Amino acid sequence: AAFASDEAAPKPIDEDSTSSTPNDDDGEEAPVDYESIEFKHFIAHNTNQTCSADAHARPFNNQIRGVNLGGWMVLEPWITPSLFYQFLGGDETNTASDMYHFCQILGPEEGNKQLRRHWETWVTEEIIQELADSGAVNSLRLPVGDFMYKPYGPYVGCTDGALDYVDLVLDWAYSAGLTVLIDIHAMKGSQNGFDNSGQAMGFKWTSALNTEPAGLVTFEHWPIRTAEWMGKFDLESIDYPDINHGNIKHSLEVIEEIVTMYSGHPAILGLQPVNEPWQYTPIEELKKFYWDGYLIIKKYAPYWKYIMHDSFRFTTDIWGGFMEGCPDRALDTHIYQAWKDPSSRTSFYADACRWKHDIAEIEREFGPVIVGEWSLATDNCAMWLNGFNDNLSGFPRLPCKYIPCADPYMGTDQPGTPVDPSKPIQGPYGTGMSGPIFGLCPATRDWLKESSGNPMTGRDWIRAPPEAPKHLDDTDDVMTRLAYKKINAFSGIGHGFYFWNFRTDLYEPSWSYMAALDRGWIPKGNLNDPKITNACRKEDNGEFRCIAKHGQLESSIRSGVKYCLHEEGKNESYVEDLSGKALRKEADKVFNEFWQDRRTMGATCDFGGVATLVELNRTITDDDWVTGDDDEYFGRVIYVGTNVWVMIGTVLVAAIVGGAVGFVVAMNVNKDFNRKVRKSRMFTSFSSNPALRKSLAFDKFDYDDLGDIPEEEPLSKSFSEPLKG
């Protein structure tokens, strides 16, 4: 359990004390570092932000298998759209797209009323217990806002009572045997400009610029996104001319408030001082903030873990050697595939497994790595994933599926719910489109069974409908394999993970851990199942070839080949003279050699989207058949469409057989038809075959008897004569 005590308090080495200390090895005196602070289990050195004399009092030996409780204390419209439907059709004066403006528009009284209803229902004791009972979760990452501990602006009054619910979750987690990582998700001024920071910074209403159609309410965010936690960002120079030390001081005070408040709670695993500071954050300022926060944590809670986000810069150049020798710290990185270009299932599998290299490298040069956020999403279709009624330019990359918008999880008293099924997509409108349409909400696409070829090279995913027909839906299969490979990669090398998110308002199992458990994508119980521990075996062993995809532009293939040759310092001029099969053959050779040489360093088989992986020792054709590496563990055959010649032959046979059966039936039940057939010339060829005559209802007779067949009786007079009168 984490706790604070007098014994744990740091002890600065006094400048007035002796100027040297004995060296344990040879008895000679070593110089004293006056900038050092002695803690209970180690010594921290301010001059170079490192530590020494670590006693390893609480080694990081246990893997984290966790989920995020996202969307609870820090609102995100895409996670809980039921809270934000009330702003559809709004304008500059009454629209909220994040938590900051949620409180600002609704005011403290109404805002707090709606938030309390949300806090009461989004996370419950039953949910915490269900996660624990799954056997697949041992920790929770709890995103909180700095405004909960030091309120400011519109948050004052609006978030009253939030800490009471945090206390409940900590107690529930402890009772269920789960630990909790407190993650400061929202910072004053916004650390990344995303709505998940509390305030989507870089936002401008553009309605006045619209002339057609009249009255259109629009805004702009993504092209002008900014982040002002560290200061005023210059969009032209792409840097921070000045640092806002007031905001940083505020954040450090929040850290101290949190650690003094919870240092004695046995459920706490540790603290994450800031979530996702964007890639333009001044790195030295960020490291200084991390160091200062670490010293605060170790002053009050000597056994807490301290987990720092990589600022979207997961490289040893940035983090190698940082805080070397300091106990209980780890680096957090977030790994998503939802923003990747569409590709085959095998490409997503390989990408998941390749992260093992990057994680291993950081573990070696820095220390423990936690994948603090990941999901199973392979597209960007989840409604409002890129902001309320907004989207990134060019997203989503493929058409999305639409499902009925969910009923409000907090009850029907919530304003704006349910979604009006009579209305098309409503404003205000951002850079891109995403929102309810006639009561339907955009959702993640299905995966289709490959029918035109091997799933490693098949292209059905490009032209597949967003919602697969039931008999062609391969989503469960693809998601299960992808989950196994990701769990293998993130926990097999690193120190564990937290899935984002524990649940979603709309039905999005690729973003909802609980729904993924229900679908069987993520197994309950032991995550060390051989299907997981062996999931990346083929990728790890390089049992694939990297070849050019079929149907690609030759200019694009040439560019990919030139890139490889250029990186290797080889002559690339000859590539311009290649075309057709010669170009493809050369591309297969160059792509594969380049990828094989670098795959253990994290290289991907992509090269501008023109390359793909195929399994070794398989003949790949356009009419290929099985699941490739998928069938090793699950033995499932991919659906193959019927061959066109087989279809034509089947239709012809059916027509012949059907005609013959119809003829026989008609000869037996229709006397008029029978009589006319007897009179036909065709009849003479059958007259000498007793078996055939019997089956077609022909009596035995001579040809001359045809003249004796009586003519058809006329209709009765009452029907044959015209009516009179």
Side-chain angles (χ1 to χ4, degrees):
F3 63 91
S5 68
D6 292 336
E7 186 181 7
K11 302 172 183 177
I13 297 178
D14 193 349
E15 202 169 326
D16 295 331
S17 65
T18 177
S19 61
S20 60
T21 57
N23 186 303
D24 292 338
D25 294 333
D26 53 19
E28 295 182 2
E29 293 184 344
V32 173
D33 181 358
Y34 296 113
E35 292 297 322
S36 296
I37 303 173
E38 186 177 354
F39 288 87
K40 181 179 180 181
H41 303 297
F42 68 99
I43 298 173
H45 306 290
N46 281 315
T47 51
N48 56 7
Q49 298 175 346
T50 63
C51 302
S52 62
D54 178 14
H56 300 285
R58 191 65 63 86
F60 206 155
N61 290 335
N62 296 322
Q63 289 265 340
I64 290 174
R65 303 286 195 275
V67 296
N68 284 272
L69 300 181
W72 191 41
M73 287 294 149
V74 181
L75 303 183
E76 298 185 36
W78 79 272
I79 297 177
T80 56
S82 290
L83 277 173
F84 287 83
Y85 290 144
Q86 61 189 307
F87 303 116
L88 290 173
D91 57 26
E92 295 88 338
T93 65
N94 56 12
T95 299
S97 59
D98 52 41
M99 188 159 184
Y100 183 95
H101 292 95
F102 180 93
C103 288
Q104 185 179 71
I105 295 296
L106 296 180
E109 184 176 343
E110 177 62 22
N112 188 247
K113 175 184 175 182
Q114 293 190 25
L115 284 176
R116 285 180 180 271
R117 190 162 51 211
H118 160 71
W119 294 331
E120 190 75 29
T121 52
W122 187 242
V123 176
T124 65
E125 185 174 11
E126 291 73 25
I127 288 174
I128 299 300
Q129 191 60 54
E130 183 179 343
L131 289 169
D133 291 343
S134 73
V137 175
N138 62 21
S139 189
L140 307 171
R141 183 170 178 255
L142 174 59
V144 299
D146 63 349
F147 47 77
M148 295 162 55
Y149 301 91
K150 290 181 71 69
Y152 53 88
Y155 297 117
V156 176
C158 186
T159 58
D160 286 355
L163 298 184
D164 296 333
Y165 288 94
V166 171
D167 290 341
L168 283 175
V169 161
L170 295 180
D171 292 343
W172 295 339
Y174 180 67
S175 296
L178 304 178
T179 63
V180 178
L181 173 67
I182 296 179
D183 154 44
I184 305 180
H185 218 69
M187 286 292 197
K188 189 175 185 178
S190 177
Q191 72 274 20
N192 54 33
F194 299 148
D195 56 15
N196 66 29
S197 70
Q199 185 175 6
M201 294 295 290
F203 188 96
K204 181 174 69 175
W205 290 101
T206 57
S207 305
L209 302 176
N210 298 313
T211 57
E212 295 293 340
L216 199 65
V217 180
T218 60
F219 62 88
E220 187 177 33
H221 168 56
W222 288 110
I224 56 173
R225 178 172 67 102
T226 185
E228 297 186 357
W229 170 51
M230 281 258 173
K232 192 74 174 177
F233 184 70
D234 190 323
L235 287 169
E236 294 186 1
S237 61
I238 316 297
D239 66 2
Y240 288 87
D242 299 295
I243 300 300
N244 190 329
H245 294 286
N247 279 356
I248 296 174
K249 180 176 180 291
H250 169 88
S251 299
L252 292 172
E253 289 172 350
V254 168
I255 291 175
E256 187 163 13
E257 186 75 20
I258 290 174
V259 70
T260 55
M261 184 176 295
Y262 304 123
S263 62
H265 201 292
I268 299 293
L269 173 70
L271 178 89
Q272 183 160 1
V274 59
N275 174 69
E276 294 186 342
W278 74 339
Q279 64 270 33
Y280 300 118
T281 305
I283 196 63
E284 294 307 318
E285 292 291 340
L286 181 61
K287 287 182 175 180
K288 178 66 166 59
F289 169 73
Y290 281 159
W291 176 255
D292 290 342
Y294 178 75
L295 298 181
I296 293 172
I297 292 296
K298 288 305 172 185
K299 176 181 178 181
Y300 296 103
Y303 298 110
W304 277 21
K305 305 301 181 190
Y306 189 71
I307 300 179
M308 302 165 285
H309 187 263
D310 63 5
S311 187
F312 301 104
R313 290 172 277 192
F314 192 58
T315 68
T316 55
D317 293 342
I318 298 292
W319 302 109
F322 178 58
M323 292 178 62
E324 186 174 358
C326 297
D328 303 318
R329 97 275 196 252
L331 193 67
D332 170 31
T333 192
H334 297 172
I335 301 175
Y336 289 115
Q337 294 181 318
W339 284 268
K340 290 179 65 65
D341 283 343
S343 191
S344 67
R345 66 193 71 195
T346 306
S347 295
F348 283 108
Y349 297 163
D351 178 70
C353 293
R354 79 166 182 85
W355 278 98
K356 296 169 86 169
H357 168 267
D358 293 356
I359 292 171
E361 188 174 29
I362 295 291
E363 287 259 349
R364 183 174 58 251
E365 299 296 328
F366 167 83
V369 173
I370 303 293
V371 180
E373 294 183 19
W374 64 283
S375 77
L376 292 173
T378 54
D379 62 47
N380 227 234
C381 281
M383 188 177 77
W384 298 345
L385 181 62
N386 292 319
F388 172 78
N389 261 29
D390 200 5
N391 223 323
L392 288 166
S393 299
F395 282 84
R397 299 297 203 202
L398 289 172
C400 299
K401 180 171 70 174
Y402 277 79
I403 62 176
C405 299
D407 292 331
Y409 59 89
M410 72 288 285
T412 55
D413 290 338
Q414 177 61 33
T417 63
V419 172
D420 190 341
S422 69
K423 293 184 177 179
I425 192 166
Q426 302 177 68
Y429 305 102
T431 309
M433 297 284 285
S434 181
I437 301 176
F438 297 113
L440 300 175
C441 288
T444 300
R445 293 169 53 88
D446 293 334
W447 275 90
L448 192 75
K449 293 179 182 179
E450 284 289 345
S451 61
S452 63
N454 187 291
M456 292 183 288
T457 58
R459 309 279 285 169
D460 281 2
W461 54 269
I462 295 177
R463 59 180 182 271
E467 184 170 6
K470 257 188 176 179
H471 67 291
L472 296 181
D473 189 355
D474 213 27
T475 304
D476 286 344
D477 203 49
V478 174
M479 291 292 102
T480 300
R481 305 187 199 298
L482 188 60
Y484 283 18
K485 292 176 188 293
K486 288 192 174 190
I487 294 172
N488 173 285
F490 302 159
S491 61
I493 300 296
H495 279 65
F497 59 79
Y498 290 96
F499 187 92
W500 190 277
N501 193 30
F502 79 110
R503 65 183 289 207
T504 53
D505 188 0
L506 294 175
Y507 185 68
E508 287 283 3
S510 61
W511 289 100
S512 168
Y513 201 77
M514 298 180 72
L517 285 171
D518 289 341
R519 292 282 289 267
W521 299 352
I522 296 174
K524 296 182 179 180
N526 182 16
L527 293 184
N528 293 318
D529 186 289
K531 290 180 180 178
I532 293 177
T533 57
N534 293 325
C536 286
R537 183 183 63 80
K538 290 193 174 183
E539 288 83 358
D540 294 344
N541 294 338
E543 297 179 18
F544 292 88
R545 289 174 54 232
C546 181
I547 66 170
K549 293 178 181 176
H550 290 283
Q552 301 300 304
L553 295 176
E554 290 194 352
S555 58
S556 299
I557 296 176
R558 287 193 192 96
S559 296
V561 174
K562 287 182 177 180
Y563 166 80
C564 296
L565 296 173
H566 177 77
E567 289 294 306
E568 294 178 331
K570 297 179 179 179
N571 174 41
E572 57 189 81
S573 60
Y574 73 94
V575 180
E576 288 296 337
D577 298 328
L578 299 177
S579 62
K581 290 184 178 179
L583 175 61
R584 286 189 53 83
K585 183 177 180 180
E586 182 67 11
D588 290 349
K589 175 176 175 292
V590 172
F591 289 164
N592 190 57
E593 289 179 354
F594 187 92
W595 177 74
Q596 293 287 359
D597 289 343
R598 291 164 172 77
R599 66 177 181 79
T600 57
M601 296 182 287
T604 61
C605 176
D606 186 81
F607 308 114
V610 299
T612 189
L613 291 174
V614 296
E615 191 177 359
L616 289 175
N617 302 319
R618 290 222 189 257
T619 302
I620 305 301
T621 70
D622 287 338
D623 298 317
D624 223 333
W625 69 126
V626 294
T627 59
D629 75 324
D630 288 357
D631 65 350
E632 178 177 356
Y633 305 122
F634 300 86
R636 182 169 177 180
V637 179
I638 292 296
Y639 169 83
V640 179
T642 306
N643 183 285
V644 63
W645 293 111
V646 174
M647 292 180 64
I648 293 173
T650 301
V651 171
L652 289 175
V653 170
I656 293 171
V657 173
V661 171
F663 181 78
V664 171
V665 171
M667 290 296 292
N668 280 277
V669 302
N670 191 319
K671 293 182 178 180
D672 184 52
F673 179 75
N674 190 308
R675 185 178 295 108
K676 289 181 179 179
V677 169
R678 290 169 185 267
K679 291 181 178 180
S680 68
R681 293 183 179 180
M682 178 188 72
F683 168 78
T684 58
S685 63
F686 297 142
S687 60
S688 61
N689 190 324
L692 191 58
R693 285 202 310 271
K694 185 175 182 180
S695 65
L696 297 179
F698 290 154
D699 296 327
K700 186 177 180 181
F701 59 90
D702 293 328
Y703 184 80
D704 296 335
D705 293 339
L706 284 175
D708 299 331
I709 297 176
E711 295 294 331
E712 186 175 356
E713 291 290 333
L715 292 174
S716 63
K717 187 173 182 179
S718 60
F719 288 94
S720 61
E721 296 179 359
L723 294 176
K724 299 179 181 179

